[in-house]
Amino acid sequence: MAIQVKVTERVLHFKQPAGTSRGVYNERKSWFVEINDGERCGVGECAPLPDLSCDAMPPYIYNKVLREFCNQVEQTGRIDYEAMRDYPSMLFGLETALLSFRQPQLFDTPFSRGEQGIPINGLVWMGSYEEMLQRIEDKLAQGFRCVKLKVGAIDFDKELDLVKSIRERFSFHDVELRLDANGGFASDDALYQLELLSQYAIHSIEQPIRQKQWSIMAGLCRDAPLPIALDEELIGVNEPEMKRQMLRIIKPAYIVLKPSLHGGMMGCREWIDIAREEGVGSWITSALESNVGLNSIARFCSAVYGENITMPQGLGTGLLFTDNIPMPLEIRGDQLWVSKNS
């Protein structure tokens, strides 16, 4: 029987507002693609972020473009990767749907078999000083030893006090601190702010200033006394040679990869390979997908980085929604696992 591709839209609702320097998310819209031939079925999630994804567009247009790509898959049984380079969220959904249609586990790894966990960071969303302090306490109580703080929205002095208070209680041997500014620092102030933050043994800071300021970002990467990771900067940089050019110009310490934003699995593999050649580290994180997307990202992560992953990944988003989709994932301490009962 020929394959059929069905598209379903769904809106998910956050348990608490998800605050970033770009604004606050209260709900999340995703498109789910299901590939079926009457015997086998594969599902993937297309989850663009409004005003951020390079393929974000009004829903009726997104649905139309996605449907055209789905029709191509129905007709050919394969994905035209070159045609989909500029549509990373659609590509990721179709990639994972087609792969899970052929192989339910996606990748045959110890993680996918439920034999090994992946270390993850605890994510602390922006809020008031008191709210963020309580959220940090909660993450540490849950057993996380790597905590990622969203910064750049509330008063910087209060954020600095927050980081200081953590370090007064926990040394860098006990807790690894990562920061994510989502482009929230002003270009003129960023270096001074990074110098102040560097007093507190910060592992890295993601995207301190807004993207598309390559020369300024390169200067920060050169002069700042703490490692800088690129995130939003990678969005829309979809051709391999441009990826290489960016890394050679900016010279970041790390890149942070989200398949829904950065080229699907195909594009992220390119980024990882090029980054390794350029001496740049990387890790993978989710982009507020449902558990369907998170499940695929985690299995992909276990495949590209191999066994015994030691660097915490950004895969702790499975508990964000009130109406998430059940998947065989569970957090044990500071690791994400596939349930063996699945």
Side-chain angles (χ1 to χ4, degrees), residues 42-326:
V43 179
E45 180 177 1
C46 306
L49 281 168
D51 303 319
L52 184 62
S53 299
C54 65
D55 58 352
M57 56 190 78
Y60 73 95
I61 298 178
Y62 189 93
N63 191 69
K64 179 177 181 293
V65 175
L66 176 59
R67 186 65 255 173
E68 290 172 356
F69 285 127
C70 290
N71 291 343
Q72 292 176 7
V73 173
E74 284 183 336
Q75 294 164 12
T76 65
R78 61 182 182 83
I79 293 169
D80 186 342
Y81 286 97
E82 291 305 313
M84 295 195 71
R85 274 191 182 274
D86 293 334
Y87 303 90
S89 66
M90 299 183 199
L91 174 57
F92 179 59
L94 278 169
E95 277 181 310
T96 51
L98 194 57
L99 186 58
S100 64
F101 170 76
R102 294 169 176 164
Q103 181 177 317
Q105 281 191 336
L106 296 179
F107 301 97
D108 186 18
T109 64
F111 172 77
S112 290
R113 295 193 298 269
E115 300 168 359
Q116 196 173 79
I118 296 176
I120 60 176
N121 62 250
L123 178 60
V124 176
W125 290 101
M126 287 178 175
S128 69
Y129 177 89
E130 292 75 17
E131 287 171 336
M132 293 181 73
L133 187 61
Q134 183 58 55
R135 290 167 189 170
I136 292 167
E137 297 277 1
D138 293 343
K139 292 300 179 185
L140 296 176
Q142 292 165 22
F144 285 97
R145 289 297 169 260
C146 175
V147 177
K148 174 178 168 179
L149 306 181
K150 293 280 189 178
V151 296
I154 66 173
D155 180 76
F156 177 74
D157 290 336
K158 289 188 175 181
E159 292 177 338
L160 195 64
D161 285 344
L162 194 63
V163 172
K164 180 182 178 181
S165 69
I166 298 170
R167 275 291 171 251
E168 287 175 344
R169 294 181 51 206
F170 302 96
S171 76
F172 69 93
H173 296 294
D174 300 317
V175 177
E176 179 179 284
L177 280 181
R178 296 178 181 175
L179 306 179
D180 184 1
N182 289 124
F185 292 171
S187 300
D188 292 342
D189 301 330
L191 182 58
Y192 176 63
Q193 291 173 311
L194 296 179
E195 288 172 346
L196 293 176
L197 288 166
S198 69
Q199 304 173 76
Y200 303 111
I202 304 300
H203 171 272
S204 57
I205 182 166
E206 295 177 36
Q207 202 68 41
I209 61 173
R210 288 197 175 276
Q211 63 267 42
K212 297 182 180 179
Q213 303 179 81
W214 286 18
S215 61
I216 299 174
M217 185 69 87
L220 288 176
C221 289
R222 182 188 65 239
D223 299 333
L226 77 168
I228 291 176
L230 303 185
D231 181 354
E232 287 90 342
E233 200 74 65
L234 312 180
I235 295 171
V237 181
N238 299 321
E239 297 296 330
E241 284 312 305
M242 185 173 283
K243 294 177 181 181
R244 189 179 304 278
Q245 182 184 24
M246 170 187 280
L247 296 185
R248 286 182 175 177
I249 291 173
I250 299 179
K251 295 182 172 61
Y254 301 100
I255 57 174
V256 184
L257 296 166
K258 299 177 173 72
S260 291
L261 294 177
H262 302 136
M265 293 187 290
M266 180 272 292
C268 285
R269 284 185 186 275
E270 283 184 353
W271 274 116
I272 291 168
D273 290 343
I274 293 170
R276 283 173 175 162
E277 293 169 6
E278 299 298 325
V280 176
S282 67
W283 69 85
I284 289 175
T285 183
S286 60
L288 308 182
E289 296 90 352
S290 77
N291 278 337
V292 172
L294 177 61
N295 176 67
S296 301
I297 294 167
R299 291 172 191 252
F300 170 67
C301 178
S302 73
V304 292
Y305 290 135
E307 298 183 23
N308 302 313
I309 298 172
T310 57
M311 177 177 280
Q313 308 292 305
L315 305 174
T317 56
L319 303 176
L320 290 178
F321 302 106
T322 60
D323 45 4
N324 212 334
I325 298 167

